[in-house]
Amino acid sequence: MESTIYTGAVLFAGVDESVTSNSAVWVRDGLIAYAGTAEGLPETPNDSQVIDASGQFIMPGMTQTHAHLSFADASPFAIGDTAVEDATIIAVGNAEKMLSSGFTAAISFGSTYKIDVALRGAIESGRISGPRLLAAGRDLGATASNVDSKGGLSQIADGPWALRQAVREQRRDRVDVVKIFIDGEAINPTNPPGELSFCDEEVEAVVSEAHRRKMRVACHSRSAAAVKQAVRAGVDFIGHANYLDQEAIALLAARDQVCVGPSIAWEVQYVAQCESLGVSKATVRAQGYEREIEATIASVEKMRAAGIKMVVGGDYGISIAPHGTYAKDLEYFVDLFGMRPAEAMLCATRNGGSAFDPKGRVGILAPGSVADMVLVDGDPLRDITVLQDHQKLTVLKSKVSLVSDFGDEEL
Ligand SMILES: [Zn+2]
């Protein structure tokens, strides 16, 4: 038996917004045996290793819920263009970078080629380091959807039966998450936000097929109409949700399990850095991206008021929002969305963890959960940006596996 006790740190267990100043965290065989006050620590084996973590902040590992490990930090206009050989090599480095950024789990929101599945196997077997990964297949979309003609990222199918076949192909490839494009992007004149690329029947076919075959479904939905179509069909992970009306909020609030990731990094960085991509500020304004940021702020406020589970993550892996900068999201949650730092941290830990593992073993430090932890040399509740400084993070990922090499649950 392996037994380790971390003593003296300020503990944020990720269960609620509270902290424990003089804490003890006991890890036994990769699982949390105890996390709480030093006084409350039960009797531990004599040969336990004791690590003095005084002056440090200890928190659960974070979950990146909208991961694109196969993206090569290329221009957002060239996603899917990187050759499979290069993208695979780069993805191995990205996995390591994500883990060292404090993100010990990741839900993929679309992979180029079959890179995610290979990464998951390599991570689970210990050949490379990286977060626990729910692997996605290629983005599944209709003809003329936002993912049409995106090289190694696209899988195009139209009609319920062709879509069911596409989902079955992803099952054959041992994918965990089927990612679909419901509406599009303002940079795409043939599929802007609000224009639904699937009909209801098609989204329902994807979700029912995926759920029957033990996969979950993630979607790109910017508009209220796209969010409503997704929620009604039973999609598990909603990405973006920028423009929400009251009906969309009510539908989301009625579904406990669904989680929403606002993924605002793309808009913020596109507005800030458009000229590096050869796009003028005037064009970006005309495309409506400034308005999209404002709309997202309003939507997040409504979601917070309705108690909808929000998670962290979004579209890192492009030139203007590169891998390794994922913790910027928590800064956006605080500065743009007005969240308390502890509230943003719960989105990154408990909420993301429960999206990854509905059984509740990820994203919290409580008896029975996996001992994925981050020791921080600083106090993220005072300065949330400390989480962006990898030098100040010690990332500990438990060896306990929650998925097999083939994506099926083991425990
Ligand atoms: Zn994405």
Side-chain angles (χ1 to χ4, degrees), residues 66 68 109 179 240 315:
H66 185 136
H68 291 298
F109 247 67
K179 155 75 181 289
H240 306 297
D315 285 329

Side-chain angles (χ1 to χ4, degrees), residues 17-147:
E17 293 187 22
S18 69
V19 292
T20 304
S21 52
N22 179 26
S23 74
V25 176
W26 176 20
V27 178
R28 191 175 48 195
D29 286 338
L31 297 175
I32 299 294
Y34 173 83
T37 60
E39 301 80 57
L41 179 69
E43 200 172 320
T44 55
N46 287 334
D47 58 351
S48 299
Q49 192 188 358
V50 179
I51 294 172
D52 181 4
S54 308
Q56 304 245 74
F57 188 96
I58 192 166
M59 61 183 278
M62 297 180 280
T63 297
Q64 162 60 258
T65 64
H66 185 136
H68 291 298
L69 286 166
S70 63
F71 286 14
D73 289 345
S75 156
F77 302 107
I79 292 170
D81 291 357
T82 309
V84 61
E85 296 84 354
D86 290 330
T88 305
I89 293 167
I90 293 166
V92 171
N94 292 339
E96 186 166 15
K97 209 177 269 182
M98 189 176 281
L99 184 61
S100 60
S101 307
F103 287 80
T104 50
I107 299 170
S108 179
F109 247 67
S111 170
T112 59
Y113 307 97
K114 298 178 190 176
I115 293 175
D116 267 4
V117 171
L119 277 181
R120 184 190 62 211
I123 293 167
E124 285 298 318
S125 64
R127 280 178 283 135
I128 65 171
S129 78
R132 305 175 182 282
L133 177 63
L134 293 183
R138 292 183 185 226
D139 283 6
L140 186 54
T143 299
S145 68
N146 195 57
V147 75

Side-chain angles (χ1 to χ4, degrees), residues 67-320:
H68 291 298
L69 286 166
S70 63
F71 286 14
D73 289 345
S75 156
F77 302 107
I79 292 170
D81 291 357
T82 309
V84 61
E85 296 84 354
D86 290 330
T88 305
I89 293 167
I90 293 166
V92 171
N94 292 339
E96 186 166 15
K97 209 177 269 182
M98 189 176 281
L99 184 61
S100 60
S101 307
F103 287 80
T104 50
I107 299 170
S108 179
F109 247 67
S111 170
T112 59
Y113 307 97
K114 298 178 190 176
I115 293 175
D116 267 4
V117 171
L119 277 181
R120 184 190 62 211
I123 293 167
E124 285 298 318
S125 64
R127 280 178 283 135
I128 65 171
S129 78
R132 305 175 182 282
L133 177 63
L134 293 183
R138 292 183 185 226
D139 283 6
L140 186 54
T143 299
S145 68
N146 195 57
V147 75
D148 196 349
S149 310
K150 290 269 171 71
L153 186 60
S154 306
Q155 184 172 5
I156 301 301
D158 296 281
W161 286 107
L163 283 159
R164 283 183 188 273
Q165 181 178 340
V167 171
R168 289 167 188 172
E169 287 164 5
Q170 295 208 359
R171 175 62 174 151
R172 185 177 61 200
D173 291 341
R174 305 196 181 279
V175 155
D176 304 304
V177 179
V178 176
K179 155 75 181 289
I180 54 173
F181 260 93
I182 291 190
D183 66 356
E185 270 305 325
I187 53 171
N188 182 351
T190 62
N191 190 203
E195 183 177 316
L196 304 188
S197 55
F198 285 127
C199 57
D200 293 350
E201 204 184 349
E202 290 175 305
V203 180
E204 286 156 15
V206 167
V207 175
S208 79
E209 193 68 29
H211 284 173
R212 199 161 46 77
R213 305 307 298 272
K214 299 185 196 160
M215 295 181 284
R216 288 189 276 171
V217 181
C219 75
H220 172 112
S221 287
R222 291 206 180 278
S223 61
V227 169
K228 289 180 218 177
Q229 189 182 57
V231 177
R232 288 191 177 117
V235 169
D236 305 277
F237 310 124
I238 313 264
H240 306 297
N242 308 89
Y243 308 94
L244 296 182
D245 58 20
Q246 278 313 327
E247 190 185 18
I249 295 283
L251 279 170
L252 285 167
R255 267 199 58 212
D256 260 8
Q257 289 302 319
V258 78
C259 63
V260 182
S263 311
I264 198 70
W266 148 246
E267 286 92 343
V268 171
Q269 294 303 330
Y270 183 54
V271 167
Q273 302 187 57
C274 54
E275 275 145 354
S276 75
L277 303 168
V279 183
S280 71
K281 293 262 187 216
T283 301
V284 171
R285 201 164 300 130
Q287 287 169 335
Y289 277 102
E290 288 172 338
R291 193 174 75 85
E292 190 158 292
I293 294 173
E294 294 309 314
T296 311
I297 292 169
S299 294
V300 168
E301 201 171 313
K302 288 183 207 155
M303 286 193 280
R304 285 174 75 203
I308 291 157
K309 185 160 78 183
M310 266 178 287
V311 291
V312 155
D315 285 329
Y316 292 90
I318 52 178
S319 58
I320 55 173

